[in-house]
């Protein structure tokens, strides 16, 4: 089987930003996809499945395999007077498919005219516009299961559709590839979804009830007036999602100061805001960074002047998120998928359970004026693939979040349930605003946390308590939104606990010994962070000499020590005493693994 090597990704995305992929393959049948899934190229690489590339930003070159479906074909089945099923291959151009439905007089998706991309992505992303979402018409989705190599069919209800969301973007990511999507349409020319402002006026403008063709025509006209055509100006449509906030916050803090703010009810106690309006009213219309700029006619879009780099786009997006947050207290989330394999680690705390300085200690380390000798309780934040993953929630979490400007957390990995690693759980409240936080834990940690945080797991909850989605893991790899996490079991004295490997980075804390088969999972690392308590022996923690010996055995390219107590000495002296490729962590330190 031939794979294209070192392929240019720019023409495969609507943003048109330069990036390369090591291996690329397009398939046009399930048979061919099955064959691909049996190759070493598939099993030995990170695999990314793309559609029309209209919602992707490659932040750097992709070291892995990119797959693209060219499964084509559209078929219509008339069920009865009321229903027609339209079944389309995942690789069909979305707007071409909508046009065929409208030409045949089948209504239901005409409001979704003109959206760039392919049919497969309509289900993954639950595309939406002008009052209609793909989920309103999707009947079922046929997929290829990469685990069993068989096809499976999911009903609409099984796909977990929500605003710009589905299970394909989370727990199903990487496992199921969409092959075909079936839509339930009406064999009728009469347009039904006319609630969106400009469409509501269509009857008046036309002087008769609008047909599905009229709606398609009007939608294409509106899109043309507001949104840049990707063939002319590179862009990925809405760069941000429209944020959903509590009605209380909205009325108190936003509506009171901006009576003209557009908003839409989103359930009983929440409202959806227009991100484009917030960006414009934060003064960012036309703002630019290098070759990237805010599209002035629809501020929700970041456009490419022609020479934009991914860094231009991400720095502009970061500026938008910060400015809107400062102005309105609302944190925008990118809708565009960042494909970013760089792992950026921020050390939030590098101290052991008592921290450094220790309370009431007068030793020279505890009295040191060097900020690197001030060690909060151990934890790290890992940023990769656009996600922020916290490892352990230390009792110092509040101070750590403020000092490091942490705005969101997508998931938490817990190593064990000792207080210095979980004492910050209550301070996670601000990060639960959009729903329960996914927490990955061993079974024993789950049991401990439910006891300790019983007020978060009762039937009748006090309003405002943090919300956790406990996900019990065992000692086998698992995925967070497609990102592979490998647990490493280490012994903390007699207690088995977890360290974690993410790509070529691993974080291990509170280890004393590591079994041979677990050490195997740490081979070929770029960067290892591991605990090294002090010079003297300790029954449950590696000391510095033992940690050096372990690093020499594992052989990462570089290693960092953490979880120090004051007996480890002054940071400067410690740094000078360690072998060349081993460094002491300090709070606030960042490490990038490319
Ligand atoms: N607005 C501004 N300034 C702007 C942009 C918008 O004041 O720069 C105001 C508008 O005047 C209006 C409100 O914000 O009062 C909403 O604007 P619009 O109707 O254009 O829709 P949107 O909420 O900004 C969403 C979708 C679009 C979709 C339109 C129409 C998201 C993230 N975006 O945008 O989808 O076309 O509704 O239904 O939900 C896409 O996904 O790529 C996309 C373009």
């Amino acid at each position: 089987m031939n794979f294209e090597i070192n392929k240019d990704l720019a023409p495969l995305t609507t943003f048109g930003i330069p990036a390369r992929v090591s291996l690329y393959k397009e398939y046009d049948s399930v048979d061919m996809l099955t064959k691909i899934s049996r190759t070493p190229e598939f099993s030995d690489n990170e695999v990314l499945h793309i559609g029309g590339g209209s919602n992707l930003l490659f932040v750097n070159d992709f070291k892995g395999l990119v797959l693209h479906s060219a499964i084509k074909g559209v078929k219509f089945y008339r069920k009865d007077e009321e229903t027609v099923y339209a079944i389309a291959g995942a690789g069909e151009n979305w707007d071409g498919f909508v046009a065929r439905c409208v030409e045949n007089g089948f209504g239901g998706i005409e409001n979704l005219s003109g959206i760039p991309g392919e049919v497969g992505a309509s289900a993954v992303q639950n595309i939406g516009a002008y009052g209609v979402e793909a989920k309103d018409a999707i009947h079922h989705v046929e997929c290829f299961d990469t685990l069993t190599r068989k096809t499976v069919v999911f009903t609409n209800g099984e796909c977990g559709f929500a605003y710009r969301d589905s299970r394909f973007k989370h727990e199903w990511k990487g496992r199921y590839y969409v092959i075909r999507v079936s839509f339930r349409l009406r064999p009728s020319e009469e347009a039904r979804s006319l609630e969106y402002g400009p469409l509501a006026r269509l009857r008046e403008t036309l002087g008769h009830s609008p047909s599905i063709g009229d709606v398609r025509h009007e939608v294409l006209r509106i899109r043309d007036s507001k949104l840049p055509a990707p063939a002319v100006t590179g862009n990925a449509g809405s760069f941000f999602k429209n944020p959903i906030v509590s009605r209380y916050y909205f009325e108190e803090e936003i509506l009171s100061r901006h009576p003209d703010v557009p908003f839409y009810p989103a359930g009983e106690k929440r409202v959806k805001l227009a991100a484009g309006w917030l960006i414009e009213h934060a003064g960012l219309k036309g703002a630019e960074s290098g070759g990237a700029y805010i599209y002035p006619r629809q501020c929700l879009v970041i456009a490419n002047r022609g020479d934009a780099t991914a860094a231009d786009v991400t720095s502009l997006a970061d500026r938008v998120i910060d400015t809107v947050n400062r102005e309105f207290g609302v944190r925008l989330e990118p809708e565009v998928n960042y494909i970013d394999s760089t792992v950026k680690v921020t050390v939030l705390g590098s101290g052991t359970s008592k921290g450094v300085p220790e309370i009431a200690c007068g030793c020279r380390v505890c009295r040191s004026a060097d900020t690197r000798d001030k060690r909060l309780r151990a934890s790290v934040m890992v940023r990769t693939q656009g996600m922020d993953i916290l490892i352990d929630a230390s009792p110092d979490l509040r101070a750590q979040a403020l000092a490091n400007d942490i705005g969101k957390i997508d998931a938490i990995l817990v190593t064990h349930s000792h207080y210095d690693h979980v004492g910050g759980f209550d301070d996670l409240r601000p990060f639960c605003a959009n729903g329960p936080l996914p927490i990955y834990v061993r079974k024993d940690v789950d049991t401990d946390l439910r006891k300790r945080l019983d007020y978060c797991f009762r039937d009748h909850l006090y309003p405002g308590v943090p919300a956790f989605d406990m996900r019990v893991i065992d000692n086998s790899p698992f995925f967070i939104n497609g990102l592979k996490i490998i647990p490493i079991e280490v012994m903390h004295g007699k207690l088995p606990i977890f360290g974690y490997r993410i790509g070529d980075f691993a974080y291990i804390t509170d280890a004393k010994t590591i079994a041979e088969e677990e050490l195997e999972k740490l081979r070929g690392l770029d960067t290892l962070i591991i605990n090294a308590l002090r010079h003297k022996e300790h029954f449950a923690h590696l000391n510095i000499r033992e940690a050096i010996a372990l690093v020499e055995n594992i052989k990462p390219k570089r290693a960092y020590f953490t979880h120090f107590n004051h007996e480890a000495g002054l940071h400067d002296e410690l740094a000078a005493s360690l072998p060349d490729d081993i460094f002491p962590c300090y709070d606030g330190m960042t490490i990038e693994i490319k």
Side-chain angles (χ1 to χ4, degrees), residues 106 216 244 261 286 308 330 343 356 363 437 456 473 476 553 577 585:
F106 303 143
R216 175 170 167 75
I244 296 174
V261 59
V330 174
V343 176
V356 182
C363 80
L437 255 180
C456 303
I473 48 166
S476 24
N553 178 352
S577 72
C585 284

Side-chain angles (χ1 to χ4, degrees), residues 129-130 163-164 196 226 238 240 242 274 277 280 298-300:
Y130 309 105
Y163 168 62
R164 293 292 200 264
Y196 181 81
K226 285 188 176 180
S238 302
F240 299 97
N242 282 337
W277 188 95
E280 181 174 342
Q298 167 52 293
C299 295
L300 194 47

